Amino acid sequence: MSKLKVTIVSLIILVFVVAGCSLKNHFSQNDEEKWNNQPTISANKSARKKKSVHPDDEALQVVSTPEAIPVLINKNHTLPDGYRPTDLVYPDIPFTFEKKTEKRKLREKAADAIENLFSGAKKDGVDLLGVSAYRSHEAQTVLFNYYVSLDGYEAARTYSAIPGTSEHETGLAIDVTGGDGKCAAEDCFAGTPEAEWLEKHSAEYGFIIRYPNGKDDVTGYKYEPWHLRYVGKSIAKQIMNSGITLEEYLKATPVNN
Ligand SMILES: [Zn+2]
């Protein structure tokens, strides 16, 4: 490794040590959304080499069509190593931050749909902000390995997604919050007028509330009213109208977290 690479890796680790110390006290367990409050980092090829492999993960199935719009990614279904969508674009929506970074990006169809959703909400007097959308495999790997170094593999996987199993890596998921920017990816977003509007109208634009209330044993995640997943209008309406999850729609085995 060159001196420059060593320096970059050291800086990334330092950023996470500083950020992670304050975050660990703030968040509850099982919260992959910690990422939303992380500083932006640059992807580094050396990160992938450090990917943690663990015998318990043999049950993980690698999805064969990662680019499919209804692709199922969860704690049992992972993206192929290093998968990166080829049609990532910047949606024209406001975020909680100003910088034009990778975490604003979405795949083209999802980007068009979120622009329509935001303008539809605005017409109803509901202001929304993006919090975090695309996350690269490298970024998730750096984050996850940092938590492993702190707490060990088993503890880390209870609150951070194993690289490849975060829906944000598909470019089809986005966390949103209300126009005041408060409760960004936090439990207090539940029950707000914005959360209620999303519950009622997301499907009209092709999105689902991916981790509904009371479905932890199916999705593997607690209620996240802020995490929207693009699946297309037809599937979204079927899922949201019948109060089911993507797992149930695809007749996949529940995660049983
Ligand atoms: Zn999310």
Side-chain angles (χ1 to χ4, degrees):
M1 215 190 298
S2 70
K3 274 187 183 169
L4 179 63
K5 279 188 181 169
V6 173
T7 310
I8 291 169
V9 170
S10 307
L11 279 173
I12 289 170
I13 291 168
L14 182 68
V15 165
F16 279 118
V17 168
V18 173
C21 289
S22 56
L23 285 168
K24 274 194 81 68
N25 299 327
H26 184 62
F27 284 90
S28 58
Q29 282 202 332
N30 261 339
D31 193 352
E32 69 120 359
E33 302 307 329
K34 280 176 176 175
W35 177 262
N36 294 323
N37 294 290
Q38 293 280 355
T40 305
I41 59 157
S42 307
N44 187 303
K45 278 184 183 168
S46 66
R48 202 179 307 159
K49 289 182 194 156
K50 292 188 233 156
K51 181 170 181 176
S52 301
V53 178
H54 194 274
D56 289 356
D57 291 341
E58 280 170 10
L60 261 184
Q61 285 182 41
V62 181
V63 298
S64 55
T65 53
E67 71 289 341
I69 294 293
V71 65
L72 178 68
I73 295 301
N74 63 21
K75 291 178 180 178
N76 295 339
H77 294 81
T78 180
L79 289 163
D81 198 16
Y83 170 73
R84 185 182 174 87
T86 54
D87 57 349
L88 291 167
V89 295
Y90 288 105
D92 185 16
I93 57 164
F95 274 76
T96 51
F97 54 92
E98 294 296 325
K99 253 184 154 181
K100 197 172 182 183
T101 63
E102 192 171 63
K103 67 178 188 175
R104 284 177 180 260
K105 285 184 167 181
L106 282 173
R107 288 184 60 192
E108 218 160 3
K109 281 185 178 173
D112 286 347
I114 201 71
E115 288 174 359
N116 291 335
L117 182 147
F118 269 50
S119 41
K122 203 162 192 95
K123 278 181 197 149
D124 287 350
V126 173
D127 282 327
L128 296 170
L129 290 172
V131 177
S132 183
Y134 176 66
R135 190 180 308 157
S136 73
H137 187 82
E138 289 83 355
Q140 183 68 26
T141 303
V142 169
L143 179 70
F144 185 75
N145 285 347
Y146 165 66
Y147 287 127
V148 170
S149 73
L150 271 193
D151 295 333
Y153 185 91
E154 288 305 327
R157 65 180 300 183
T158 65
Y159 61 78
S160 179
I162 295 169
T165 70
S166 168
E167 258 205 347
H168 287 275
E169 293 175 49
T170 65
L172 296 168
I174 179 168
D175 299 326
V176 301
T177 194
D180 60 6
K182 292 177 188 166
C183 297
E186 292 194 49
D187 292 342
C188 58
F189 184 61
T192 61
E194 293 87 353
E196 281 170 16
W197 188 93
L198 289 169
E199 178 75 38
K200 209 172 163 189
H201 298 285
S202 288
E204 296 161 24
Y205 302 91
F207 288 92
I208 57 170
I209 308 293
R210 179 67 177 90
Y211 308 117
N213 202 3
K215 293 281 190 176
D216 317 30
D217 57 342
V218 181
T219 64
Y221 286 97
K222 66 177 177 57
Y223 184 35
E224 293 191 0
W226 58 82
H227 179 109
L228 303 179
R229 161 67 196 275
Y230 182 74
V231 289
K233 286 181 189 175
S234 165
I235 297 176
K237 283 174 187 168
Q238 291 175 66
I239 288 176
M240 293 302 284
N241 290 344
S242 45
I244 58 169
T245 61
L246 187 58
E247 279 81 4
E248 290 161 301
Y249 174 79
L250 296 170
K251 297 188 170 51
T253 315
V255 170
N256 284 326
N257 188 31

